Amino acid sequence: MTQPRILVTGATGKVGGAVVAQLRAAGVPVRALVRGEAEFPEGVQAVRGDLGDPASLGAALEGVDAVFLVWPFLSADGASDVIDVIGKHARRVVYLSSAGVQDGGGKEEAGEAITMFHTELERLVEASGLEWTALRPTGFAGNTLGWAQEVRATGAVRAPLAGLARPLIHEADMAAVAVQALTTDALLGARPVITGPELVTQERQVALIGEAIGRPVRFDEVTLEEAVEQMKAAGYPAELVEAVLPAQAKMIDHPEPVNDEVERITGTPARSFREWAVDHAADFR
């Protein structure tokens, strides 16, 4: 049986990069979609294209069997055209969605920008006629890299919600599930919710980063109001900030459930946040 040729979007990001690396390690022909110059290991074909310009994707999709789709925008505008182009070339799409998406017509909270666009992307993918899988991870462990500069400069993290506990998932585990969806039929038509192995508070996450780098890191809690202003000043869109932080605050009393889907799908238990911190210690030193 001929191995599928796979196009990975978001290939220079945390999850897409891990998918590229794992496909290459498995000997699967892989293309990495890039907008500019990027370095990849030998055996990975970098191809130019931009999801914001569907007309630019034709050459990248030529001869491709499956696409790993990471949507880089905060709305679904233009997604229909992109999925149409994918459907002219490939037979399968694996979409990196969110655990916040609900089945059965569930109503997402108004203004929850991230969940809303993921919901719409899932609907478009499912209606496309392509074989599909929608991966629904909980919070990305890799998002804590946003603390890295502050940790390096001050040895502390100033953030709200010290007690917010989430089952953050390692990008390598998301990639391992994606590889199964891309290269086997085990997840066709599935929407697996995938999580890290345990709930870890933000204060504990910071402490584990400190252990990984060999020096204490302090969590300095700020109010939600301060955090909103900090994020806006850093350039985050107001609608994103005003949706995400209140949603996270609600998770303190209603945490995300933890499951063993990563192990069920891949045969290997999900990596802990401690392992993630060790893997990324150099980023925080």
Side-chain angles (χ1 to χ4, degrees), residues 145-273:
L145 288 170
W147 295 334
Q149 182 176 354
E150 192 175 18
V151 169
R152 292 193 300 266
T154 70
V157 170
R158 296 185 74 253
L161 307 173
L164 169 62
R166 303 188 70 185
L168 298 183
I169 183 168
H170 197 301
E171 61 271 10
D173 289 326
M174 286 184 270
V177 174
V179 168
Q180 289 296 310
L182 289 161
T183 62
T184 77
D185 294 341
L187 295 175
L188 286 183
R191 308 177 189 87
V193 175
I194 51 177
T195 82
E198 60 185 343
L199 293 168
V200 184
T201 67
Q202 294 203 113
E203 189 169 30
R204 179 63 177 154
Q205 291 162 29
V206 168
L208 289 169
I209 289 168
E211 290 180 16
I213 65 176
R215 59 184 174 87
V217 181
R218 189 175 69 254
F219 190 99
D220 291 339
E221 188 167 21
V222 303
T223 66
L224 280 177
E225 292 74 18
E226 288 176 281
V228 165
E229 294 309 313
Q230 286 175 5
M231 291 181 70
K232 288 180 180 177
Y236 290 95
E239 68 271 19
L240 177 65
V241 175
E242 291 165 2
V244 168
L245 289 178
Q248 289 182 342
K250 291 180 181 179
M251 290 180 188
I252 292 179
D253 294 325
H254 303 283
E256 297 152 300
V258 180
N259 66 38
D260 62 356
E261 283 290 271
V262 169
E263 182 172 11
R264 183 186 69 80
I265 293 166
T266 69
T268 301
R271 297 162 175 85
S272 67
F273 187 81

Side-chain angles (χ1 to χ4, degrees), residues 128-162:
S128 68
L130 289 158
E131 298 175 352
W132 61 268
T133 304
L135 305 183
R136 294 178 173 177
T138 49
F140 294 11
N143 286 345
T144 62
L145 288 170
W147 295 334
Q149 182 176 354
E150 192 175 18
V151 169
R152 292 193 300 266
T154 70
V157 170
R158 296 185 74 253
L161 307 173

Side-chain angles (χ1 to χ4, degrees), residues 85-102:
V85 173
I86 291 172
K88 292 176 181 176
H89 298 272
R91 61 181 174 84
R92 178 177 300 185
V93 61
V94 175
Y95 175 58
L96 185 65
S97 185
S98 165
V101 176
Q102 299 182 32

